[in-house]
């Protein structure tokens, strides 16, 4: 009997083992490419950060990424979100990493898991928990036993979670690559010999976890073996791995850029982004990841910086709300299709390059079965007419032509045939006018007059050392006794504060003195205001406000936050100036604000009788105030936004869930924008910027999952600076207008994003001109009425596809041999 049990158990284990091996995937690499089950692959990936969207959005985002031609989804893992307190973990809701990876797997895509656990990512403190900084003798990202122990603990936990769910490719899962550390090569020189020792330790630690797939280190020249180094940047065509046995990989192709409060809106053209991709593959690249493919939203207080906005749209191919960002999404999809059709030559073919002059080169990839070619023009100003293999090709400046068969141009990065979608706010879906209640911030007078706090210390302390980043707000409070004989006493006295607070508010004897807001990245400044002091005891209360902790740079964890001093009272007596340094006085510290501590934003707070809200005399421009209103969710399924124009600065909650900080009163500068954007030439974050002189962020994403679609909803505002809540409005985001400027011999697809096409405002085939919203017919047109043709094909439909040709739109004899185009503008 025992023998039979043993045999059955052995048979069961053998079957399990065999089944596991049959479903496992072998991922490796050689000098050309990542290999999957022995086959070299062209891999196209895109970054989607699971905490920057909601879990109900994940399937749609991943599906659109797959439809856009991606093979893999890349994400960071956010240590401070998952371990907010030491050994207290959170993987719930939109932090459910396992569910996110399984959603990727369910869509049939691979995953790239960038564990870090330093992530940068414009995320608060670069992803590090602040409690880590406050451990004894702590130094980040160097040979420090405390840091290394905590980093290994978290990394091991994530790896074990993935292993337990069989999510590594070696177990049959979707994860084909994992990353340890992040962009350390950018700062390693600052750490000296300990930096080299640390990165070696990282490699050994990661390798010991035995995940069965390769580890990568981005921006890490001469990465320790067996780590694979990779490139990050706007362009990586000139990048060459330090190790000749490593493939050429690009982990971050920056699809746009992030926004800072007070900054302009960044914009990277579809032409330039596609050019960077095509150049990378022309020059031997085989793995490329878009950072970001969907940027999303910095819910709550996760935005870093300092001064990173709540929107993390990034001008990515999928916008903040999950809509297709056209033409970027579609233009890249066409390129992806062609690159995948060329996979065999690009990964196995012999490579030869032909110099065609004037910064134009042709690259030929040849196997016994097929040849594929690129013609790249890196000249930023001059178009090129070149002869290649006996045929003439017109290659615009700063563009790449793709010839899958080395004969016919199938794609050029500068010739966009995809529609442009103009996203608008739909006021028709707006609910009734909001009826607000309000209340002042709890017992502010008690705080600023009596100085009652949570902690007493001699001298000034760093804000994050006190708060553990539990709040943006920290009160610094002290008392100063002055009499008539005090040397500083005069009729002209001021309060002078040397500060690193992102925003500083000052009170003296219960009266508001003023504030200072950091502008132009000058986070180390002097605040000075005239004050009225009295004989006897004077109460000073300084409210330090942080707007995201620093997330990048060497030793960034030790950068000062809050009020680092000195703090002085200054007396001016004619030409004489006398200072009284009170920095080393006894200071009381109060973490956060009473309304936050009493959770006035919670839907449960309404049941507390002592938390009274007033319906009378709704104040505008009142500092440190709370506002609340009920509303109905906008009808339909379109993304919801709330327009906070008219407010100052603060935080907003929907049904108790924070959708982030707001600051619509902070406008960008009036300079640096242009109506025209030339895609040619290298991109930088300031190039093609727009929205000068406007709020950096006016509209804020309200995920549908935060709403009760058929019931009661509550919006709660904490207003720090003073604003007018009566201007707040809920709207939906829709595609209002669609334009296309397609080239002859291509197909054009028009879609209103699940809304019917209602009318054709303009259509012309020939040589029309202008930009979307101001198209004009040219000197030649097709014989048929283009508007009528488009209307018959498209009006009333959700989408339509047409060939751009003389057969479809009539002959264009007046155009001669010049290229023809179809310009279309439709209403949704």
């Amino acid at each position: 009997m025992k023998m039979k049990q043993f045999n059955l158990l052995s048979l069961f284990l053998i079957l399990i083992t065999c089944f596991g091996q049959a479903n496992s995937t072998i991922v490796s690499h050689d000098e050309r490419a990542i290999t999957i089950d022995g086959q070299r692959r062209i891999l196209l990936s895109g970054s989607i950060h699971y905490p920057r969207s909601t879990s109900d959005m994940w399937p749609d985002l991943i599906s659109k990424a797959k439809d856009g031609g991606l093979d893999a989804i890349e994400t960071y893992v956010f240590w401070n979100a998952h371990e907010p307190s030491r050994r207290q973990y959170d993987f719930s809701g939109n932090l459910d990493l396992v569910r996110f990876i399984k959603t990727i797997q369910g869509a049939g895509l691979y995953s790239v898991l960038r564990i870090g656990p330093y992530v940068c990512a414009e995320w608060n403190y670069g992803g590090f928990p602040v409690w880590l900084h406050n451990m004894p003798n702590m130094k980040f990202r160097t040979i420090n036993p405390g840091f290394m122990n905590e980093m290994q603990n978290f990394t091991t936990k994530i790896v074990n979670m993935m292993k337990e769910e069989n999510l590594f490719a070696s177990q049959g899962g979707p994860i084909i690559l994992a990353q340890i550390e992040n962009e350390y090569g950018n700062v390693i020189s600052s750490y000296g010999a300990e930096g080299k020792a640390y990165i070696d330790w990282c490699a050994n630690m990661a390798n010991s976890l035995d995940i069965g797939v390769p580890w990568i280190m981005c921006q890490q020249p001469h990465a320790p073996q067996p780590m694979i180094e990779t490139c990050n940047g706007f362009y990586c065509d000139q990048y060459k791995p330090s190790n000749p046995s490593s493939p050429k990989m690009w982990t971050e192709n920056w699809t746009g850029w992030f926004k800072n409060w007070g900054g302009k809106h960044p914009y990277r053209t579809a032409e330039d982004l596609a050019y960077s991709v095509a150049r990378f593959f022309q020059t031997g690249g085989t793995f490329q990841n878009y950072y970001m493919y969907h940027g999303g939203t910095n819910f709550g207080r996760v935005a870093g910086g300092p001064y990173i906005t709540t929107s993390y749209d990034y001008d990515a191919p999928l916008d903040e709300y999950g809509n297709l960002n056209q033409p970027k999404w579609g233009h890249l999809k066409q390129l992806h299709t062609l690159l995948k059709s060329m996979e065999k030559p690009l990964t196995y073919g012999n490579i030869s390059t032909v110099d065609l002059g004037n910064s134009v080169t042709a690259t030929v990839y040849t196997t016994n079965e097929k040849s594929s070619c690129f013609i790249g023009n890196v000249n930023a100003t001059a178009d090129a007419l070149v002869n290649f293999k006996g045929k003439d090709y017109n290659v615009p400046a700063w563009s790449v032509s793709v010839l899958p068969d080395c004969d016919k141009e199938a794609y050029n990065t500068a010739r966009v045939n995809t529609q442009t979608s103009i996203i608008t706010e739909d006021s028709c879906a707006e609910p009734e006018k909001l009826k607000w209640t309000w209340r002042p911030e709890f017992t502010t007078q008690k705080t600023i007059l009596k100085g009652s706090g949570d902690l007493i210390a001699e001298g000034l302390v760093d804000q994050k050392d006190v708060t553990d980043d539990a709040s943006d707000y920290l009160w610094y409070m002290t008392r100063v006794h002055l009499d008539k004989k005090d040397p500083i006493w005069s009729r002209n006295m001021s309060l002078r504060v040397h500060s690193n607070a992102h925003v500083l508010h000052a009170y003296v004897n219960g009266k508001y003195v003023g504030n200072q807001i950091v502008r132009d990245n000058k986070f180390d400044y002097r605040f000075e205001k005239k004050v009225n002091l009295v004989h006897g005891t004077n109460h000073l209360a300084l409210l330090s406000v942080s707007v995201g902790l620093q997330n990048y740079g060497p030793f960034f964890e030790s950068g000062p936050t809050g009020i680092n001093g000195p703090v002085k009272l200054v007396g001016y007596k004619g030409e004489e100036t006398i200072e009284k340094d009170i920095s080393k006085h006894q200071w009381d510290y109060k973490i956060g604000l009473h309304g936050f501590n009493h959770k006035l934003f919670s839907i449960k707070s309404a049941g507390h009788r002592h938390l009274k809200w007033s319906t009378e005399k709704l104040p505008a421009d009142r500092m440190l105030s709370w506002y609340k209103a009920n509303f109905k969710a906008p009808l339909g399924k379109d993304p919801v936004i709330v327009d906070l124009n008219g407010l100052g600065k603060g935080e907003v909650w929907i049904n108790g869930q924070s959708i982030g900080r707001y600051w619509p009163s902070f406008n960008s500068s009036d300079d640096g924008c242009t109506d025209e954007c030339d895609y040619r030439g290298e991109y930088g974050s300031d190039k093609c910027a727009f929205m000068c002189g406007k709020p950096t962020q006016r509209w804020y994403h309200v995920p549908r999952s935060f709403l009760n679609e058929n019931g009661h909803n509550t919006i709660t505002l904490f207003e720090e600076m003073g604003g007018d809540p009566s201007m707040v409005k809920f709207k939906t985001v829709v595609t209002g207008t669609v334009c296309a400027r397609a080239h002859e011999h291509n197909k054009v697809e028009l879609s209103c994003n699940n809304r019917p096409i209602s009318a054709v405002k303009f259509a012309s085939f020939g040589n029309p001109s202008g930009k979307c919203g101001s198209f004009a017919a040219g000197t030649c047109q097709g014989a048929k009425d283009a508007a009528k043709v488009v209307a018959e094909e498209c009006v009333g439909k959700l989408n339509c596809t047409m060939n751009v040709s003389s057969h479809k739109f009539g002959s264009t004899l007046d155009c001669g041999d010049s290229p023809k185009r179809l310009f279309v503008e439709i209403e949704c």
Side-chain angles (χ1 to χ4, degrees), residues 449 478-483 509 533-540:
L449 276 176
T478 193
R479 292 166 292 281
V480 182
H481 186 84
L482 298 176
D483 57 37
N509 294 326
L533 300 173
V534 299
H535 295 135
T537 300
N538 293 270
H539 296 267
L540 276 65

Side-chain angles (χ1 to χ4, degrees), residues 732-802:
T732 56
V733 175
V734 299
T735 302
T737 302
V738 167
C739 294
R741 299 188 296 180
H743 296 258
E744 190 177 15
H745 309 306
N746 286 278
K747 289 185 177 181
V748 61
E749 180 178 353
L750 303 176
S751 170
C752 282
N753 192 24
N754 297 318
R755 303 177 77 205
I757 298 169
S758 59
V760 179
K761 291 187 68 176
F762 179 90
S764 176
F765 176 69
N767 62 351
S769 61
K771 58 184 179 180
C772 188
S774 58
F775 287 152
T779 56
C780 68
Q781 295 192 68
K784 298 179 182 179
D785 184 338
K788 185 177 181 180
V789 172
V790 175
E792 290 175 351
E793 288 281 354
C794 302
V795 171
K797 299 178 182 178
L798 295 179
N799 55 69
C800 59
T801 303
M802 295 168 289

